[in-house]
Amino acid sequence: MHILVLTDRDWTHPQGGGTGTHLYGQVSRWVAWGHRVSVIACGYPGGAPHERLDERLEIYRVGGRSTVFPRAIWRQWRGLVPDPDVTVELVNGVTFLTPLWMHGPRVTLVHHVHRDHYEQEMGRKGRIAAFALETAPLKWLYRRSRFMTISKASARDIVAHGIPREQIEVNYIGVEVGQFAPGERAEQPTLLYLGRLKRYKQIEYLLDVIDAIPEAVLDIAGDGDHRETLEREIAERGLSERVRLLGHVDEETKLRLLQSAWVNLTASSAEGWCLTVMEAAACGTPSVALAVGGLPESIQDGVTGLLARDRDELVSQTQRVVHDPELRERLGAAALERARDFTWDRTARQTLDLLDEERSAAAERPSGLKARARELAGSDTGRAAGLGSAVMASNVIALVFTVVFGRLLHAGGYGSLAALIAAFIILQVPGNALQATVAREVSAEVADGERAPGAGVRGWVARLLLVLVAAIAISIPLRHVIASIIGVGNDPWAAAAALPAACLWLILSVERGALQGFQRYKMVGGSVMGEAATRLLWGIVLFAVGLGVTGAFLATAFSLASMAVFLSLPLSREVRHAAIGHTPRPEPGLRELLGRAGAPVMALALIAFLQNVDLIVVKHRAPSQVAGSYAAASVAAKMVIWVAVGLGFYLLPEASRRTALGRDARPILGRTLWLVGLAGVPMVLFYAVAGQPLLKAVFGYKNLHHAGQALPWLGLAMTLLACAYLSVQYLLALHRSHFIWALAIASCVEVVLLLSVSIQLVTIALVVLAVQAALAVTVVLLGYRSKVGVPRLSVPEPAAGSSRAAGR
């Protein structure tokens, strides 16, 4: 095979350390066995950019320790090493992001997860760095990758990032047995630390050890950026005569140190395996170490060395070995015997087997864009993005609706239509809450193995049809009152359609919620796009017959009715299939269902209020032309909200389902928030550059200067509100309601501020932005602090052998 190795440091690097030794131990054997190896690593002073060490081994050095990653990606993407058969990517705290740009078979080699190291070295900033450089890529990009690691402890850490355990191969590190052998011990008790001088290595613990054993000396062999701190610490403790800082040592000196030492010490806060433990063992020298990471695997406690739980126990365990010659010799002899089983030949052969297996598997897998598209479509991110895309597509159609009727109705007429739509959106809240509740109930029933999930849907829809008839009967005589409340006194018949449209929305919401619970996401997405398309068609038809603003708004009710009929057929089949052969348990009535929707109603009502109250305030306080201009900017800014609505269609039922199964659903929240940012940030930047020309081109208004200036601020505000909306959906899925106080406070504050500031569109937009920013931070944090859901009421016993439950 031609093997490409991507690594931050090769074995010739002055700070190659255990990573370099591990690479050389395997690569040298691959080459000796006839394979070709190309290595891309960082450069260093004295290191040639390109070096051929053998006819089958080349090293390419690009960039430095920090820039090697983008430089390696760029150079290899352009074909620096052509046509490797398989790639080994060594992740040493920072990934090369290979799933994004590398198409061939690959294996990811992780010695250990570096999150704790980042925090040790950088404090709080280290948490951010660890998340951005290691945690987030592993969780979101590498879930389908094959991994190799050096201990079971490291495998567990990788699994914690969402990687299935069956995709991880554990391959213990070897040792050059022929280069190590027992030698002459030092006469004076001698302790040894061999490794890099880094803060996370906690070498200060070893100073406590040497303090407690006054007859002993400590040799520290290695170098690093923690040396100056150690030198000061050694001097302050008065240990300069008994602690020898030797710096970087050659192989001959290292062998002599390992042979002469009485004990090899390790106090690192995290280690995947610790190569020096086995090198010391190959010299018959026992080790004492903290029981972290893979050290309980490289050291057999009480057999080849001793493990300690903390600093004090590290001191006492070392004292035991130093003061008990019989124990020391017994541990050393057992360590030497065990080291003979850990050869680089075995390690290199096991890695080759995995590389060959991955190469063969890649040859059998479909390749190209279609295969990648199928993989993405099957992931959480892909399915959520699919629903978000469906809503985005419907939003494009809605934008066409806005353009068409903005031009047909002009500023004043469109201002009335916008106020009607804003009022309808507020009236939609019970439907949104009902959809969330139904999706939560049905998805949890499916997850729990309920014998007939969704059995009550038909009854709920039938009762809502009666409510629709009552709404029509009430709205006609009260049309003038409703028109006055909304602020569209010239269009009373349009106002009369608001309540019936809200009832149709309730019916459609119940149907969509049930289909979400059955994981029929494509059907839900199709209905969203169909709703927008039929709304545009009905609007054009009704406007053409002379109904003006009334016809444009009636199109909303007609499109909802069309989609309700469309979804009734597949939903009926789904419910009938679920109920075959089962007697459904009594489902809650509509009143009880609405009672369960209390928290969703309140939460989503406040979200809708926050989304639209600025429009209503501006409509009442500003002239028609100004209100129409602000409405145009507001509609454009809300595009990202509709993306969030689509993502929420996936987030809520999946979070409910996984919580019912006892799984942590926060990763789904993280992915949907990431997708909102992916949509919202470019949109805001575009609005900042071309907001005014965009509004003028789309709506055809002449006086849009202030609306164009307000647009980017409104876009950013709506992006933040979208993040809050997704967090609300997540919390509702977990049956949480404690976050509602944040929504209520934000709503009150926004109203007060909007009524107190001057009617300047930019000022209004900045007020909205400030409120949404504070709200988003609060609700997102509440979402991430909520890991598991509250137990559902009246959860049925799982149906043993239920094929439907198993299929879901």
Side-chain angles (χ1 to χ4, degrees):
M1 290 186 290
H2 177 197
I3 303 167
L4 170 63
V5 177
L6 296 175
T7 179
D8 57 339
R9 294 162 296 177
D10 66 79
W11 55 89
T12 68
H13 195 289
Q15 296 180 11
T19 298
T21 302
H22 185 193
L23 276 179
Y24 181 76
Q26 298 206 64
V27 169
S28 60
R29 282 157 177 80
W30 299 341
V31 172
W33 296 337
H35 299 283
R36 179 183 165 203
V37 180
S38 300
V39 179
I40 301 178
C42 76
Y44 59 89
H50 176 237
E51 189 172 3
R52 183 182 291 274
L53 301 179
D54 184 275
E55 63 178 7
R56 290 188 295 271
L57 175 59
E58 293 180 274
I59 300 178
Y60 300 85
R61 299 186 180 94
V62 298
R65 283 295 307 277
S66 300
T67 61
V68 61
F69 302 98
R71 292 284 297 277
I73 292 170
W74 174 248
R75 294 288 299 279
Q76 181 57 20
W77 184 68
R78 296 183 64 191
L80 177 63
V81 177
D83 303 323
D85 294 311
V86 64
T87 298
V88 177
E89 177 191 2
L90 198 153
V91 175
N92 199 20
V94 184
T95 74
F96 285 89
L97 304 175
T98 54
L100 291 178
W101 58 275
M102 181 167 283
H103 302 302
R106 55 189 170 79
V107 170
T108 306
L109 173 60
V110 177
H111 288 92
H112 55 87
V113 173
H114 283 66
R115 180 174 52 226
D116 293 339
H117 293 189
Y118 276 110
E119 292 187 28
Q120 286 271 352
E121 295 290 322
M122 302 170 62
R124 290 184 177 180
K125 293 180 181 178
R127 297 180 183 178
I128 300 174
F131 179 81
L133 299 176
E134 183 184 52
T135 302
L138 288 179
K139 280 191 172 184
W140 296 336
L141 296 179
Y142 286 75
R143 295 176 70 89
R144 296 180 181 273
S145 299
R146 290 294 301 273
F147 279 79
M148 175 168 281
T149 191
I150 60 176
S151 67
K152 294 176 182 176
S154 292
R156 289 192 294 270
D157 290 340
I158 297 170
V159 168
H161 286 72
I163 310 299
R165 179 62 179 85
E166 60 269 18
Q167 293 174 206
I168 306 170
E169 181 93 2
V170 174
N171 187 10
Y172 290 132
I173 283 179
V175 65
E176 296 286 2
V177 178
Q179 295 182 12
F180 297 94
E184 185 178 350
R185 299 285 180 211
E187 294 184 4
Q188 183 180 11
T190 302
L191 315 180
L192 174 65
Y193 168 77
L194 182 62
R196 290 186 295 156
L197 307 187
K198 304 290 288 185
R199 181 179 297 178
Y200 75 85
K201 295 291 188 179
Q202 300 183 147
I203 303 172
E204 288 81 357
Y205 286 20
L206 308 187
L207 301 184
D208 292 338
V209 172
I210 201 69
D211 248 340
I213 309 175
E215 71 274 21
V217 296
L218 171 64
D219 287 329
I220 299 177
D223 216 337
D225 55 22
H226 198 51
R227 177 167 183 140
E228 291 184 7
T229 302
L230 281 174
E231 288 174 340
R232 288 195 300 270
E233 180 82 6
I234 291 168
E236 289 172 2
R237 295 194 185 201
L239 297 173
S240 300
E241 296 297 321
R242 296 197 296 121
V243 178
R244 300 182 291 230
L245 285 169
L246 306 177
H248 181 74
V249 298
D250 57 29
E251 290 299 313
E252 183 179 347
T253 305
K254 181 174 79 170
L255 174 60
R256 180 177 55 79
L257 291 171
L258 289 168
Q259 290 172 332
S260 62
W262 289 27
V263 184
N264 174 59
L265 292 177
T266 300
S268 178
S269 61
E271 289 287 347
W273 176 260
C274 195
L275 179 62
T276 58
V277 166
M278 298 310 296
E279 291 180 337
C283 294
T285 301
S287 294
V288 176
L290 291 181
V292 298
L295 283 163
E297 296 170 66
S298 61
I299 298 174
Q300 290 183 313
D301 190 24
V303 178
T304 65
L306 298 179
L307 294 172
R309 291 169 295 184
D310 53 33
R311 184 194 301 230
D312 292 339
E313 195 167 287
L314 184 73
V315 172
S316 63
Q317 295 285 55
T318 308
Q319 287 175 321
R320 284 182 60 199
V321 178
V322 169
H323 296 148
D324 187 342
E326 183 180 348
L327 172 65
R328 186 169 64 251
E329 293 303 318
R330 175 170 59 81
L331 294 175
L336 175 61
E337 183 64 28
R338 184 168 186 249
R340 295 191 176 114
D341 295 330
F342 290 84
T343 67
W344 282 120
D345 285 356
R346 180 201 55 79
T347 303
R349 177 60 64 191
Q350 186 172 339
T351 302
L352 275 180
D353 289 343
L354 179 62
L355 296 180
D356 189 49
E357 178 185 330
E358 185 61 17
R359 181 181 64 163
S360 300
E364 296 174 359
R365 286 195 298 261
S367 60
L369 293 177
K370 289 185 178 180
R372 289 181 176 271
R374 283 197 295 270
E375 287 184 6
L376 179 61
S379 67
D380 285 331
T381 301
R383 287 184 286 182
L387 279 169
S389 299
V391 179
M392 177 63 81
S394 75
N395 200 41
V396 171
I397 301 172
L399 181 61
V400 175
F401 181 93
T402 300
V403 171
V404 170
F405 287 96
R407 292 181 178 274
L408 290 175
L409 299 174
H410 307 293
Y414 186 76
S416 296
L417 179 60
L420 284 163
I421 292 174
F424 170 68
I425 290 174
I426 294 175
L427 291 173
Q428 279 183 305
V429 172
N432 294 334
L434 200 56
Q435 179 174 339
T437 304
V438 172
R440 184 176 66 186
E441 295 292 320
V442 175
S443 61
E445 287 175 0
V446 171
D448 290 337
E450 166 60 34
R451 296 186 176 184
V457 172
R458 292 173 180 170
W460 301 336
V461 171
R463 288 169 178 79
L464 287 173
L465 286 171
L466 296 176
V467 175
L468 171 63
V469 173
I472 295 173
I474 292 172
S475 297
I476 291 176
L478 295 178
R479 60 187 181 277
H480 292 288
V481 176
I482 300 171
S484 177
I485 293 173
I486 298 176
V488 290
N490 294 328
D491 301 288
W493 286 105
L499 286 176
C503 292
L504 287 167
W505 178 255
L506 285 173
I507 295 171
L508 183 60
S509 297
V510 169
E511 293 177 335
R512 282 179 176 162
L515 288 170
Q516 285 175 256
F518 287 119
Q519 297 180 294
R520 295 293 298 275
Y521 298 120
K522 290 183 180 179
M523 187 63 65
V524 174
S527 75
V528 171
M529 292 188 290
E531 179 191 336
T534 54
R535 177 174 174 240
L536 176 61
L537 294 175
W538 278 115
I540 292 173
V541 170
L542 294 174
F543 183 87
V545 299
L547 294 183
V549 172
T550 301
F553 184 66
L554 278 174
T556 298
F558 285 20
S559 68
L560 293 174
S562 302
M563 286 303 103
V565 173
F566 171 72
L567 290 185
S568 65
L569 297 178
L571 179 58
S572 178
R573 288 194 297 268
E574 196 74 27
V575 173
R576 185 167 59 250
H577 172 75
I580 289 176
H582 300 294
T583 301
R585 69 180 176 91
E587 288 285 341
L590 182 60
R591 183 179 299 177
E592 184 180 349
L593 184 69
L594 290 172
R596 295 184 185 182
V601 166
M602 189 174 299
L604 297 179
L606 291 169
I607 287 286
F609 184 83
L610 287 163
Q611 182 184 343
N612 295 285
V613 67
D614 56 325
L615 261 178
I616 295 175
V617 170
V618 171
K619 174 64 180 174
H620 279 279
R621 295 187 63 193
S624 295
Q625 287 290 123
V626 175
S629 298
Y630 186 84
S634 181
V635 167
K638 287 183 173 68
M639 290 180 67
V640 71
I641 292 290
W642 292 105
V643 174
V645 169
L647 298 175
F649 287 165
Y650 182 78
L651 169 64
L652 185 141
E654 286 298 314
S656 179
R657 182 176 66 85
R658 297 184 192 193
T659 301
L661 294 171
R663 296 167 57 187
D664 185 359
R666 287 179 298 180
I668 307 175
L669 173 61
R671 293 184 190 102
T672 53
L673 289 174
W674 179 80
L675 288 170
V676 160
L678 193 65
V681 171
M683 180 192 73
V684 172
L685 294 176
F686 179 74
Y687 288 163
V689 174
Q692 185 177 344
L694 172 69
L695 294 178
K696 186 174 182 180
V698 172
F699 295 98
Y701 303 165
K702 295 180 180 180
N703 300 316
L704 285 168
H705 176 67
H706 293 296
Q709 289 181 330
L711 180 56
W713 303 115
L714 285 173
L716 183 56
M718 292 302 104
T719 300
L720 292 168
L721 182 60
C723 293
Y725 171 82
L726 289 174
S727 299
V728 165
Q729 291 281 346
Y730 173 79
L731 289 163
L732 290 174
L734 272 59
H735 293 258
R736 304 284 186 174
S737 60
H738 62 284
F739 62 90
I740 292 177
W741 64 266
L743 300 178
I745 292 173
S747 299
C748 294
V749 169
E750 184 165 335
V751 170
V752 171
L753 292 177
L754 288 174
L755 291 174
S756 62
V757 300
S758 62
I759 294 297
Q760 299 291 328
L761 299 190
V762 174
T763 303
I764 294 290
L766 289 173
V767 167
V768 175
L769 172 61
V771 174
Q772 306 304 347
L775 176 65
V777 170
T778 302
V779 181
V780 169
L781 288 177
L782 288 174
Y784 268 95
R785 289 181 60 187
S786 300
K787 182 176 181 180
V788 296
V790 175
R792 298 175 65 249
L793 298 176
S794 304
V795 177
E797 290 296 322
S802 171
S803 61
R804 184 171 184 81
R808 295 297 181 190

